[in-house]
Amino acid sequence: MTVHLPPLPPVPGEGYRPGGPHLLDIVAAEHDDLRSLLDEATAQGVTAQRRREVIGVFTAVLTRHLSGEEQYLFPAARQVLPDETERIDREVAADAELLGAVRDLTEEGLPDLGERLRRHVDGVGALFEPLRAHADEEELIRLGNRFEIAEEAAPTRPHPGNPHTPPWNRIVDPAVGVVDKVRDAVTGRHTRRSDL
């Protein structure tokens, strides 16, 4: 079984092999980065200013990450794992709750956020092996390329009320992302780990 991909960008003729990392490698690396950012925010002796900066970057990275998963990882999983639709729906709902928790975050909520992030990583990680079994390497690379493009256009602030499934999230998230990026530029908000 192959993973259905929208027609853009077109796939050239025979012998074509897309470049870049594949979807599951990208998602796993981002999960590690998110855990690392949260560990840094909750470390002993971190100043309040540094904690705010790290949480701001964590929020932006998480928001972009979840948008990419909802646009490409979960639809691919739904297609190749039709018996797991309910579990995937629960993951999407949990992601919306995670965004809500980040939006309303206080210092007292950091431990709960860590637990929610752990559940997210475990839930999404459980989809990796079935996806590897059903999608070939080229499909996973093409999905990875689209995932990265989606993340670049995604919001940088939590909007748990936005649509969480295609096609609407592929329309709404980039539009909201433009507004978020303007707000970030005006306020000088850091949104990438390299900003720290």
Side-chain angles (χ1 to χ4, degrees), residues 38-76:
L38 200 53
D39 288 345
E40 185 176 343
T42 58
Q44 285 290 93
V46 67
T47 66
Q49 174 63 26
R50 178 66 175 179
R51 179 176 289 119
R52 280 191 300 276
E53 290 173 357
V54 172
I55 290 296
V57 170
F58 172 85
T59 299
V61 171
L62 176 69
T63 304
R64 286 191 301 264
H65 171 80
L66 294 178
S67 178
E69 283 183 348
E70 290 169 355
Q71 289 183 50
Y72 290 100
L73 178 80
F74 291 142

Side-chain angles (χ1 to χ4, degrees), residues 16-17 44 51 59 67 70 86 89 93 101-103 108-109 134 149 151 153 157 159 161 170 180 185-186 193:
Y16 170 75
R17 173 146 168 76
Q44 285 290 93
R51 179 176 289 119
T59 299
S67 178
E70 290 169 355
E86 286 182 28
D89 289 344
V102 170
R103 182 190 61 202
E108 295 77 33
H134 289 88
I149 291 167
E151 281 190 321
R157 297 168 187 262
H159 301 279
R170 291 181 183 163
D180 283 356
V186 168
R193 179 178 271 291

Side-chain angles (χ1 to χ4, degrees), residues 14-164:
E14 282 186 46
Y16 170 75
R17 173 146 168 76
H22 71 62
L23 176 66
L24 305 180
D25 289 342
I26 296 167
V27 171
E30 288 182 4
H31 284 167
D32 290 343
D33 191 40
L34 286 164
R35 283 190 292 235
S36 172
L37 284 165
L38 200 53
D39 288 345
E40 185 176 343
T42 58
Q44 285 290 93
V46 67
T47 66
Q49 174 63 26
R50 178 66 175 179
R51 179 176 289 119
R52 280 191 300 276
E53 290 173 357
V54 172
I55 290 296
V57 170
F58 172 85
T59 299
V61 171
L62 176 69
T63 304
R64 286 191 301 264
H65 171 80
L66 294 178
S67 178
E69 283 183 348
E70 290 169 355
Q71 289 183 50
Y72 290 100
L73 178 80
F74 291 142
R78 283 181 206 282
Q79 186 173 0
V80 299
L81 307 169
D83 296 338
E84 297 291 331
T85 300
E86 286 182 28
R87 181 169 65 128
I88 295 165
D89 289 344
R90 284 192 304 272
E91 291 300 325
V92 171
D95 287 355
E97 291 175 10
L98 179 57
L99 281 176
V102 170
R103 182 190 61 202
D104 302 327
L105 186 63
T106 63
E107 278 193 41
E108 295 77 33
L110 283 172
D112 178 57
L113 184 62
E115 178 58 27
R116 287 176 186 267
L117 179 62
R118 186 197 60 74
R119 285 194 307 262
H120 167 79
V121 170
D122 291 346
V124 172
L127 299 173
F128 283 13
E129 285 311 310
L131 278 168
R132 281 186 214 279
H134 289 88
D136 65 34
E137 188 76 11
E138 287 183 17
E139 290 168 326
L140 291 173
I141 290 170
R142 290 182 65 216
L143 282 167
N145 291 338
R146 291 177 184 205
F147 182 92
E148 289 180 318
I149 291 167
E151 281 190 321
E152 287 302 314
T156 59
R157 297 168 187 262
H159 301 279
N162 282 3
H164 297 285

